[in-house]
Amino acid sequence: MTAVMVSTMVLCFALTVSVAVSIGLASVLGIQATNAHMLISVKEMFNAINKFPLAAIPFFILAGNLMETGGISRRLVEFAKSIVGGVQGGLPMTCVLTCMIFAAVSGSSVATTFAVGAILIPALIKHGYPTTYAAALQATSAELGVIIPPSIPLILYGVSAEVSIGELFIAGFGPGLFIGLALMLFVHLYCRWKGWGKKDGDGRQPFGKAAWQAGWALLMPVIILGGIYGGIFTPTEASAVAVFYALVVGVVIYREIKLVDLAVILRKSVLSSAVIMFIIANAGLFAFLITRAGVPDAIGRYLEAVLQSPTLFLLGVNAALFLIGMFIETSAAIIVLAPILAPVAIHFGVDPVHFGLIMVVNLALGMITPPFGVNLFAACTVARISLDKIVPHLLPFVLVILACLMVITYVPQLSLFLRDLVYAK
């Protein structure tokens, strides 16, 4: 059964069949190969999405789209520019900082790419930055959307590996801020080396004025994250609060969302949510079948035999996840691999929360690496360029994230310090 499933999935990937369909078809053929009842497929696909925390996904996607249309993202850009926009390379730094703030609400890197990129990619081009650099920067910065909480991949890991989502969220701040600061330092030094961005401060608002105009937008992450860690509502309930807040601010306060816009916003959000949930359903069936076939136990025993130490285990897992992330969508990879790898990580003494951050940061690299990087497609769509042109400017960003990943992997306190502080046993 396992051979049939894996060979079918690989063949479908080679034929550029979508990830969800490839996984689903491989699972159905695997059931047929064992003469099991086909009702298993319906039952396990339903069980895979019949989990309360997953309700947060469509709500966070809708909140991100409301923020984009309602003027919240534009005001966050002006606020970030007032902080870092006055130095050489300030506009690229503004892109990174805006994505860090936007990530604290949207939970989705694709939503961040469209919402922030629609404003900053044209601005970067206007200030003389190459279009390919602007698109590569936006795609990379938006990756913070799945690392800084609330994060859809962290929710999926928590559900799949049975780890506290609250602990994962608080642990995500350290790696997210670390990567964000590393990217800001890199783009500043790179722009000084290239001689770009000497006039990035033109049109920058004073900090006080920008903070006042963005006040309602800046209050959003405070309410969402404060409510979660204050025990007022769960991460799932926070997603619904985010939608309500974004709707009120966009319609009543900023008055940039009209009734006719709601239909477009809802349609876009439904389509994005349906794609993710379809992947989750098929990946859940696939994970059930390979677990039933004993694949996780076999992989676990193999890793224990070959990788004798936690250091080697983490290095081997990072190398494997990096390659997997290039070809398999992040959500599907987490749902399939988390139940397999998390128990092995615990066996080697790796904290499951720390391992979850390693998985998410690593697989998030797949969003900015060809051939299936979703952030790349989104950024190229906004910039109106082809994917192949973005690669030369993308490579330095990938190397920066890889260096950050190594630090996150081998310095666990970067992830666990806040978790241990807030969730003191």
Side-chain angles (χ1 to χ4, degrees), residues 367-401:
M367 298 178 174
I368 60 169
T369 52
F372 300 126
V374 290
N375 282 15
L376 297 183
F377 291 117
C380 288
T381 300
V382 176
R384 297 180 181 178
I385 57 174
S386 59
L387 181 62
D388 57 299
K389 294 180 180 178
I390 202 176
V391 174
H393 278 124
L394 186 67
L395 184 59
F397 290 117
V398 172
L399 293 176
V400 171
I401 303 294

PDB file of all heavy atoms in Angstrom, residues 367-401:
ATOM      1  N   MET A 367       7.934  28.526   0.882  1.00  0.00           N
ATOM      2  CA  MET A 367       7.075  29.563   0.306  1.00  0.00           C
ATOM      3  C   MET A 367       7.858  30.555  -0.545  1.00  0.00           C
ATOM      4  O   MET A 367       7.262  31.317  -1.312  1.00  0.00           O
ATOM      5  CB  MET A 367       6.348  30.313   1.435  1.00  0.00           C
ATOM      6  CG  MET A 367       5.432  29.440   2.253  1.00  0.00           C
ATOM      7  SD  MET A 367       4.659  30.375   3.584  1.00  0.00           S
ATOM      8  CE  MET A 367       3.532  29.145   4.247  1.00  0.00           C
ATOM      9  N   ILE A 368       9.196  30.558  -0.388  1.00  0.00           N
ATOM     10  CA  ILE A 368      10.006  31.502  -1.163  1.00  0.00           C
ATOM     11  C   ILE A 368      11.072  30.784  -1.986  1.00  0.00           C
ATOM     12  O   ILE A 368      12.048  31.410  -2.416  1.00  0.00           O
ATOM     13  CB  ILE A 368      10.673  32.559  -0.251  1.00  0.00           C
ATOM     14  CG1 ILE A 368      11.589  31.900   0.792  1.00  0.00           C
ATOM     15  CG2 ILE A 368       9.626  33.409   0.422  1.00  0.00           C
ATOM     16  CD1 ILE A 368      12.467  32.890   1.537  1.00  0.00           C
ATOM     17  N   THR A 369      10.923  29.468  -2.172  1.00  0.00           N
ATOM     18  CA  THR A 369      11.865  28.724  -3.012  1.00  0.00           C
ATOM     19  C   THR A 369      11.111  28.104  -4.186  1.00  0.00           C
ATOM     20  O   THR A 369      10.048  27.512  -3.995  1.00  0.00           O
ATOM     21  CB  THR A 369      12.581  27.620  -2.216  1.00  0.00           C
ATOM     22  OG1 THR A 369      11.614  26.807  -1.532  1.00  0.00           O
ATOM     23  CG2 THR A 369      13.537  28.211  -1.206  1.00  0.00           C
ATOM     24  N   PRO A 370      11.659  28.232  -5.397  1.00  0.00           N
ATOM     25  CA  PRO A 370      11.032  27.569  -6.551  1.00  0.00           C
ATOM     26  C   PRO A 370      11.061  26.056  -6.345  1.00  0.00           C
ATOM     27  O   PRO A 370      11.878  25.553  -5.569  1.00  0.00           O
ATOM     28  CB  PRO A 370      11.936  27.993  -7.716  1.00  0.00           C
ATOM     29  CG  PRO A 370      12.678  29.195  -7.223  1.00  0.00           C
ATOM     30  CD  PRO A 370      12.858  28.992  -5.743  1.00  0.00           C
ATOM     31  N   PRO A 371      10.201  25.249  -6.981  1.00  0.00           N
ATOM     32  CA  PRO A 371       9.299  25.701  -8.040  1.00  0.00           C
ATOM     33  C   PRO A 371       7.882  26.044  -7.563  1.00  0.00           C
ATOM     34  O   PRO A 371       7.086  26.539  -8.330  1.00  0.00           O
ATOM     35  CB  PRO A 371       9.244  24.472  -8.955  1.00  0.00           C
ATOM     36  CG  PRO A 371       9.414  23.321  -8.022  1.00  0.00           C
ATOM     37  CD  PRO A 371      10.326  23.780  -6.927  1.00  0.00           C
ATOM     38  N   PHE A 372       7.558  25.740  -6.270  1.00  0.00           N
ATOM     39  CA  PHE A 372       6.166  25.890  -5.837  1.00  0.00           C
ATOM     40  C   PHE A 372       6.004  26.924  -4.723  1.00  0.00           C
ATOM     41  O   PHE A 372       5.089  26.810  -3.914  1.00  0.00           O
ATOM     42  CB  PHE A 372       5.607  24.540  -5.362  1.00  0.00           C
ATOM     43  CG  PHE A 372       5.620  23.471  -6.415  1.00  0.00           C
ATOM     44  CD1 PHE A 372       6.216  22.242  -6.180  1.00  0.00           C
ATOM     45  CD2 PHE A 372       5.057  23.692  -7.655  1.00  0.00           C
ATOM     46  CE1 PHE A 372       6.229  21.251  -7.159  1.00  0.00           C
ATOM     47  CE2 PHE A 372       5.065  22.714  -8.636  1.00  0.00           C
ATOM     48  CZ  PHE A 372       5.662  21.494  -8.388  1.00  0.00           C
ATOM     49  N   GLY A 373       6.878  27.929  -4.664  1.00  0.00           N
ATOM     50  CA  GLY A 373       6.782  28.932  -3.610  1.00  0.00           C
ATOM     51  C   GLY A 373       5.575  29.829  -3.790  1.00  0.00           C
ATOM     52  O   GLY A 373       5.525  30.656  -4.703  1.00  0.00           O
ATOM     53  N   VAL A 374       4.590  29.687  -2.903  1.00  0.00           N
ATOM     54  CA  VAL A 374       3.331  30.438  -3.063  1.00  0.00           C
ATOM     55  C   VAL A 374       3.553  31.941  -2.905  1.00  0.00           C
ATOM     56  O   VAL A 374       2.898  32.751  -3.573  1.00  0.00           O
ATOM     57  CB  VAL A 374       2.252  29.941  -2.077  1.00  0.00           C
ATOM     58  CG1 VAL A 374       1.778  28.559  -2.446  1.00  0.00           C
ATOM     59  CG2 VAL A 374       2.762  29.967  -0.637  1.00  0.00           C
ATOM     60  N   ASN A 375       4.472  32.333  -2.012  1.00  0.00           N
ATOM     61  CA  ASN A 375       4.757  33.759  -1.852  1.00  0.00           C
ATOM     62  C   ASN A 375       5.374  34.352  -3.115  1.00  0.00           C
ATOM     63  O   ASN A 375       5.120  35.507  -3.465  1.00  0.00           O
ATOM     64  CB  ASN A 375       5.721  33.981  -0.672  1.00  0.00           C
ATOM     65  CG  ASN A 375       5.021  33.897   0.664  1.00  0.00           C
ATOM     66  OD1 ASN A 375       3.899  33.416   0.747  1.00  0.00           O
ATOM     67  ND2 ASN A 375       5.681  34.344   1.712  1.00  0.00           N
ATOM     68  N   LEU A 376       6.185  33.550  -3.801  1.00  0.00           N
ATOM     69  CA  LEU A 376       6.804  34.019  -5.040  1.00  0.00           C
ATOM     70  C   LEU A 376       5.747  34.290  -6.094  1.00  0.00           C
ATOM     71  O   LEU A 376       5.794  35.309  -6.791  1.00  0.00           O
ATOM     72  CB  LEU A 376       7.812  32.986  -5.559  1.00  0.00           C
ATOM     73  CG  LEU A 376       9.019  32.685  -4.669  1.00  0.00           C
ATOM     74  CD1 LEU A 376       9.951  31.705  -5.372  1.00  0.00           C
ATOM     75  CD2 LEU A 376       9.759  33.959  -4.319  1.00  0.00           C
ATOM     76  N   PHE A 377       4.795  33.366  -6.225  1.00  0.00           N
ATOM     77  CA  PHE A 377       3.728  33.557  -7.207  1.00  0.00           C
ATOM     78  C   PHE A 377       2.910  34.807  -6.876  1.00  0.00           C
ATOM     79  O   PHE A 377       2.549  35.588  -7.762  1.00  0.00           O
ATOM     80  CB  PHE A 377       2.822  32.332  -7.265  1.00  0.00           C
ATOM     81  CG  PHE A 377       3.486  31.122  -7.856  1.00  0.00           C
ATOM     82  CD1 PHE A 377       3.671  29.977  -7.101  1.00  0.00           C
ATOM     83  CD2 PHE A 377       3.930  31.118  -9.169  1.00  0.00           C
ATOM     84  CE1 PHE A 377       4.288  28.862  -7.639  1.00  0.00           C
ATOM     85  CE2 PHE A 377       4.555  30.010  -9.714  1.00  0.00           C
ATOM     86  CZ  PHE A 377       4.730  28.877  -8.957  1.00  0.00           C
ATOM     87  N   ALA A 378       2.617  34.995  -5.564  1.00  0.00           N
ATOM     88  CA  ALA A 378       1.832  36.163  -5.153  1.00  0.00           C
ATOM     89  C   ALA A 378       2.599  37.460  -5.428  1.00  0.00           C
ATOM     90  O   ALA A 378       2.042  38.422  -5.973  1.00  0.00           O
ATOM     91  CB  ALA A 378       1.484  36.055  -3.669  1.00  0.00           C
ATOM     92  N   ALA A 379       3.896  37.488  -5.060  1.00  0.00           N
ATOM     93  CA  ALA A 379       4.694  38.689  -5.264  1.00  0.00           C
ATOM     94  C   ALA A 379       4.891  38.988  -6.751  1.00  0.00           C
ATOM     95  O   ALA A 379       4.838  40.149  -7.174  1.00  0.00           O
ATOM     96  CB  ALA A 379       6.055  38.547  -4.571  1.00  0.00           C
ATOM     97  N   CYS A 380       5.103  37.938  -7.543  1.00  0.00           N
ATOM     98  CA  CYS A 380       5.270  38.133  -8.988  1.00  0.00           C
ATOM     99  C   CYS A 380       3.973  38.611  -9.631  1.00  0.00           C
ATOM    100  O   CYS A 380       3.995  39.377 -10.603  1.00  0.00           O
ATOM    101  CB  CYS A 380       5.733  36.827  -9.649  1.00  0.00           C
ATOM    102  SG  CYS A 380       7.445  36.402  -9.276  1.00  0.00           S
ATOM    103  N   THR A 381       2.838  38.180  -9.086  1.00  0.00           N
ATOM    104  CA  THR A 381       1.555  38.647  -9.591  1.00  0.00           C
ATOM    105  C   THR A 381       1.391  40.145  -9.339  1.00  0.00           C
ATOM    106  O   THR A 381       0.961  40.893 -10.226  1.00  0.00           O
ATOM    107  CB  THR A 381       0.400  37.881  -8.907  1.00  0.00           C
ATOM    108  OG1 THR A 381       0.530  36.482  -9.187  1.00  0.00           O
ATOM    109  CG2 THR A 381      -0.950  38.371  -9.406  1.00  0.00           C
ATOM    110  N   VAL A 382       1.746  40.582  -8.123  1.00  0.00           N
ATOM    111  CA  VAL A 382       1.642  42.004  -7.790  1.00  0.00           C
ATOM    112  C   VAL A 382       2.623  42.827  -8.625  1.00  0.00           C
ATOM    113  O   VAL A 382       2.281  43.903  -9.139  1.00  0.00           O
ATOM    114  CB  VAL A 382       1.906  42.228  -6.284  1.00  0.00           C
ATOM    115  CG1 VAL A 382       1.904  43.728  -5.964  1.00  0.00           C
ATOM    116  CG2 VAL A 382       0.857  41.512  -5.439  1.00  0.00           C
ATOM    117  N   ALA A 383       3.862  42.303  -8.779  1.00  0.00           N
ATOM    118  CA  ALA A 383       4.891  43.043  -9.513  1.00  0.00           C
ATOM    119  C   ALA A 383       4.777  42.885 -11.029  1.00  0.00           C
ATOM    120  O   ALA A 383       5.462  43.587 -11.775  1.00  0.00           O
ATOM    121  CB  ALA A 383       6.274  42.579  -9.061  1.00  0.00           C
ATOM    122  N   ARG A 384       3.953  41.927 -11.471  1.00  0.00           N
ATOM    123  CA  ARG A 384       3.739  41.662 -12.895  1.00  0.00           C
ATOM    124  C   ARG A 384       5.035  41.277 -13.613  1.00  0.00           C
ATOM    125  O   ARG A 384       5.407  41.836 -14.637  1.00  0.00           O
ATOM    126  CB  ARG A 384       3.103  42.884 -13.578  1.00  0.00           C
ATOM    127  CG  ARG A 384       1.724  43.218 -13.019  1.00  0.00           C
ATOM    128  CD  ARG A 384       1.125  44.432 -13.706  1.00  0.00           C
ATOM    129  NE  ARG A 384      -0.189  44.749 -13.132  1.00  0.00           N
ATOM    130  CZ  ARG A 384      -0.935  45.782 -13.509  1.00  0.00           C
ATOM    131  NH1 ARG A 384      -0.498  46.589 -14.466  1.00  0.00           N
ATOM    132  NH2 ARG A 384      -2.097  46.007 -12.933  1.00  0.00           N
ATOM    133  N   ILE A 385       5.744  40.322 -13.015  1.00  0.00           N
ATOM    134  CA  ILE A 385       6.954  39.782 -13.633  1.00  0.00           C
ATOM    135  C   ILE A 385       6.885  38.264 -13.577  1.00  0.00           C
ATOM    136  O   ILE A 385       6.083  37.684 -12.833  1.00  0.00           O
ATOM    137  CB  ILE A 385       8.242  40.264 -12.914  1.00  0.00           C
ATOM    138  CG1 ILE A 385       8.193  39.883 -11.421  1.00  0.00           C
ATOM    139  CG2 ILE A 385       8.441  41.744 -13.088  1.00  0.00           C
ATOM    140  CD1 ILE A 385       9.472  40.183 -10.692  1.00  0.00           C
ATOM    141  N   SER A 386       7.725  37.599 -14.358  1.00  0.00           N
ATOM    142  CA  SER A 386       7.757  36.134 -14.364  1.00  0.00           C
ATOM    143  C   SER A 386       8.640  35.621 -13.235  1.00  0.00           C
ATOM    144  O   SER A 386       9.540  36.320 -12.755  1.00  0.00           O
ATOM    145  CB  SER A 386       8.273  35.610 -15.705  1.00  0.00           C
ATOM    146  OG  SER A 386       9.578  36.098 -15.961  1.00  0.00           O
ATOM    147  N   LEU A 387       8.386  34.377 -12.816  1.00  0.00           N
ATOM    148  CA  LEU A 387       9.057  33.808 -11.649  1.00  0.00           C
ATOM    149  C   LEU A 387      10.566  33.682 -11.859  1.00  0.00           C
ATOM    150  O   LEU A 387      11.348  33.900 -10.919  1.00  0.00           O
ATOM    151  CB  LEU A 387       8.451  32.432 -11.344  1.00  0.00           C
ATOM    152  CG  LEU A 387       9.030  31.692 -10.134  1.00  0.00           C
ATOM    153  CD1 LEU A 387       8.791  32.477  -8.862  1.00  0.00           C
ATOM    154  CD2 LEU A 387       8.400  30.304 -10.016  1.00  0.00           C
ATOM    155  N   ASP A 388      11.008  33.335 -13.066  1.00  0.00           N
ATOM    156  CA  ASP A 388      12.431  33.089 -13.297  1.00  0.00           C
ATOM    157  C   ASP A 388      13.285  34.343 -13.072  1.00  0.00           C
ATOM    158  O   ASP A 388      14.464  34.242 -12.711  1.00  0.00           O
ATOM    159  CB  ASP A 388      12.656  32.565 -14.723  1.00  0.00           C
ATOM    160  CG  ASP A 388      12.125  33.523 -15.772  1.00  0.00           C
ATOM    161  OD1 ASP A 388      10.911  33.778 -15.766  1.00  0.00           O
ATOM    162  OD2 ASP A 388      12.915  34.013 -16.597  1.00  0.00           O
ATOM    163  N   LYS A 389      12.713  35.525 -13.249  1.00  0.00           N
ATOM    164  CA  LYS A 389      13.479  36.758 -13.106  1.00  0.00           C
ATOM    165  C   LYS A 389      13.765  37.125 -11.650  1.00  0.00           C
ATOM    166  O   LYS A 389      14.650  37.928 -11.368  1.00  0.00           O
ATOM    167  CB  LYS A 389      12.735  37.911 -13.789  1.00  0.00           C
ATOM    168  CG  LYS A 389      12.624  37.757 -15.306  1.00  0.00           C
ATOM    169  CD  LYS A 389      11.879  38.921 -15.925  1.00  0.00           C
ATOM    170  CE  LYS A 389      11.782  38.763 -17.441  1.00  0.00           C
ATOM    171  NZ  LYS A 389      11.020  39.859 -18.074  1.00  0.00           N
ATOM    172  N   ILE A 390      13.028  36.538 -10.738  1.00  0.00           N
ATOM    173  CA  ILE A 390      13.144  36.911  -9.333  1.00  0.00           C
ATOM    174  C   ILE A 390      14.266  36.157  -8.617  1.00  0.00           C
ATOM    175  O   ILE A 390      14.753  36.582  -7.575  1.00  0.00           O
ATOM    176  CB  ILE A 390      11.793  36.661  -8.618  1.00  0.00           C
ATOM    177  CG1 ILE A 390      11.673  37.490  -7.344  1.00  0.00           C
ATOM    178  CG2 ILE A 390      11.613  35.195  -8.258  1.00  0.00           C
ATOM    179  CD1 ILE A 390      10.320  37.353  -6.672  1.00  0.00           C
ATOM    180  N   VAL A 391      14.697  35.024  -9.193  1.00  0.00           N
ATOM    181  CA  VAL A 391      15.610  34.105  -8.507  1.00  0.00           C
ATOM    182  C   VAL A 391      16.944  34.734  -8.105  1.00  0.00           C
ATOM    183  O   VAL A 391      17.384  34.560  -6.959  1.00  0.00           O
ATOM    184  CB  VAL A 391      15.836  32.834  -9.346  1.00  0.00           C
ATOM    185  CG1 VAL A 391      16.892  31.937  -8.712  1.00  0.00           C
ATOM    186  CG2 VAL A 391      14.517  32.067  -9.498  1.00  0.00           C
ATOM    187  N   PRO A 392      17.654  35.480  -8.978  1.00  0.00           N
ATOM    188  CA  PRO A 392      18.960  36.035  -8.565  1.00  0.00           C
ATOM    189  C   PRO A 392      18.893  36.909  -7.313  1.00  0.00           C
ATOM    190  O   PRO A 392      19.777  36.842  -6.459  1.00  0.00           O
ATOM    191  CB  PRO A 392      19.384  36.858  -9.793  1.00  0.00           C
ATOM    192  CG  PRO A 392      18.693  36.210 -10.942  1.00  0.00           C
ATOM    193  CD  PRO A 392      17.364  35.777 -10.405  1.00  0.00           C
ATOM    194  N   HIS A 393      17.850  37.739  -7.194  1.00  0.00           N
ATOM    195  CA  HIS A 393      17.720  38.583  -6.009  1.00  0.00           C
ATOM    196  C   HIS A 393      17.178  37.804  -4.810  1.00  0.00           C
ATOM    197  O   HIS A 393      17.276  38.275  -3.667  1.00  0.00           O
ATOM    198  CB  HIS A 393      16.792  39.772  -6.301  1.00  0.00           C
ATOM    199  CG  HIS A 393      17.475  40.894  -6.989  1.00  0.00           C
ATOM    200  ND1 HIS A 393      17.039  41.411  -8.194  1.00  0.00           N
ATOM    201  CD2 HIS A 393      18.585  41.613  -6.676  1.00  0.00           C
ATOM    202  CE1 HIS A 393      17.832  42.388  -8.576  1.00  0.00           C
ATOM    203  NE2 HIS A 393      18.782  42.529  -7.675  1.00  0.00           N
ATOM    204  N   LEU A 394      16.613  36.639  -5.065  1.00  0.00           N
ATOM    205  CA  LEU A 394      16.015  35.848  -3.987  1.00  0.00           C
ATOM    206  C   LEU A 394      17.066  35.078  -3.193  1.00  0.00           C
ATOM    207  O   LEU A 394      16.913  34.879  -1.977  1.00  0.00           O
ATOM    208  CB  LEU A 394      15.003  34.865  -4.594  1.00  0.00           C
ATOM    209  CG  LEU A 394      14.172  34.034  -3.626  1.00  0.00           C
ATOM    210  CD1 LEU A 394      13.211  34.924  -2.852  1.00  0.00           C
ATOM    211  CD2 LEU A 394      13.387  32.969  -4.395  1.00  0.00           C
ATOM    212  N   LEU A 395      18.129  34.624  -3.849  1.00  0.00           N
ATOM    213  CA  LEU A 395      19.118  33.753  -3.218  1.00  0.00           C
ATOM    214  C   LEU A 395      19.716  34.336  -1.937  1.00  0.00           C
ATOM    215  O   LEU A 395      19.800  33.622  -0.924  1.00  0.00           O
ATOM    216  CB  LEU A 395      20.226  33.413  -4.226  1.00  0.00           C
ATOM    217  CG  LEU A 395      21.298  32.433  -3.749  1.00  0.00           C
ATOM    218  CD1 LEU A 395      20.666  31.109  -3.349  1.00  0.00           C
ATOM    219  CD2 LEU A 395      22.354  32.216  -4.835  1.00  0.00           C
ATOM    220  N   PRO A 396      20.127  35.617  -1.895  1.00  0.00           N
ATOM    221  CA  PRO A 396      20.669  36.157  -0.632  1.00  0.00           C
ATOM    222  C   PRO A 396      19.660  36.102   0.515  1.00  0.00           C
ATOM    223  O   PRO A 396      20.040  35.819   1.659  1.00  0.00           O
ATOM    224  CB  PRO A 396      21.027  37.609  -0.988  1.00  0.00           C
ATOM    225  CG  PRO A 396      21.202  37.613  -2.467  1.00  0.00           C
ATOM    226  CD  PRO A 396      20.227  36.610  -2.985  1.00  0.00           C
ATOM    227  N   PHE A 397      18.389  36.346   0.219  1.00  0.00           N
ATOM    228  CA  PHE A 397      17.369  36.287   1.268  1.00  0.00           C
ATOM    229  C   PHE A 397      17.225  34.863   1.814  1.00  0.00           C
ATOM    230  O   PHE A 397      17.068  34.653   3.024  1.00  0.00           O
ATOM    231  CB  PHE A 397      16.023  36.783   0.734  1.00  0.00           C
ATOM    232  CG  PHE A 397      15.979  38.257   0.458  1.00  0.00           C
ATOM    233  CD1 PHE A 397      15.774  38.738  -0.827  1.00  0.00           C
ATOM    234  CD2 PHE A 397      16.142  39.175   1.483  1.00  0.00           C
ATOM    235  CE1 PHE A 397      15.732  40.099  -1.089  1.00  0.00           C
ATOM    236  CE2 PHE A 397      16.103  40.540   1.238  1.00  0.00           C
ATOM    237  CZ  PHE A 397      15.908  41.002  -0.051  1.00  0.00           C
ATOM    238  N   VAL A 398      17.262  33.887   0.928  1.00  0.00           N
ATOM    239  CA  VAL A 398      17.155  32.484   1.354  1.00  0.00           C
ATOM    240  C   VAL A 398      18.326  32.125   2.267  1.00  0.00           C
ATOM    241  O   VAL A 398      18.158  31.444   3.294  1.00  0.00           O
ATOM    242  CB  VAL A 398      17.104  31.542   0.133  1.00  0.00           C
ATOM    243  CG1 VAL A 398      17.189  30.080   0.576  1.00  0.00           C
ATOM    244  CG2 VAL A 398      15.834  31.773  -0.669  1.00  0.00           C
ATOM    245  N   LEU A 399      19.521  32.591   1.931  1.00  0.00           N
ATOM    246  CA  LEU A 399      20.699  32.303   2.757  1.00  0.00           C
ATOM    247  C   LEU A 399      20.576  32.948   4.138  1.00  0.00           C
ATOM    248  O   LEU A 399      20.974  32.347   5.147  1.00  0.00           O
ATOM    249  CB  LEU A 399      21.960  32.806   2.049  1.00  0.00           C
ATOM    250  CG  LEU A 399      22.333  32.073   0.751  1.00  0.00           C
ATOM    251  CD1 LEU A 399      23.548  32.721   0.100  1.00  0.00           C
ATOM    252  CD2 LEU A 399      22.598  30.593   1.016  1.00  0.00           C
ATOM    253  N   VAL A 400      20.007  34.152   4.209  1.00  0.00           N
ATOM    254  CA  VAL A 400      19.800  34.816   5.503  1.00  0.00           C
ATOM    255  C   VAL A 400      18.831  34.004   6.363  1.00  0.00           C
ATOM    256  O   VAL A 400      19.081  33.766   7.556  1.00  0.00           O
ATOM    257  CB  VAL A 400      19.278  36.255   5.308  1.00  0.00           C
ATOM    258  CG1 VAL A 400      18.853  36.864   6.645  1.00  0.00           C
ATOM    259  CG2 VAL A 400      20.351  37.125   4.662  1.00  0.00           C
ATOM    260  N   ILE A 401      17.723  33.556   5.761  1.00  0.00           N
ATOM    261  CA  ILE A 401      16.741  32.763   6.516  1.00  0.00           C
ATOM    262  C   ILE A 401      17.349  31.437   6.962  1.00  0.00           C
ATOM    263  O   ILE A 401      17.103  30.964   8.089  1.00  0.00           O
ATOM    264  CB  ILE A 401      15.477  32.508   5.665  1.00  0.00           C
ATOM    265  CG1 ILE A 401      14.851  33.825   5.209  1.00  0.00           C
ATOM    266  CG2 ILE A 401      14.458  31.695   6.461  1.00  0.00           C
ATOM    267  CD1 ILE A 401      14.291  34.669   6.307  1.00  0.00           C
TER     268      ILE A 401
END
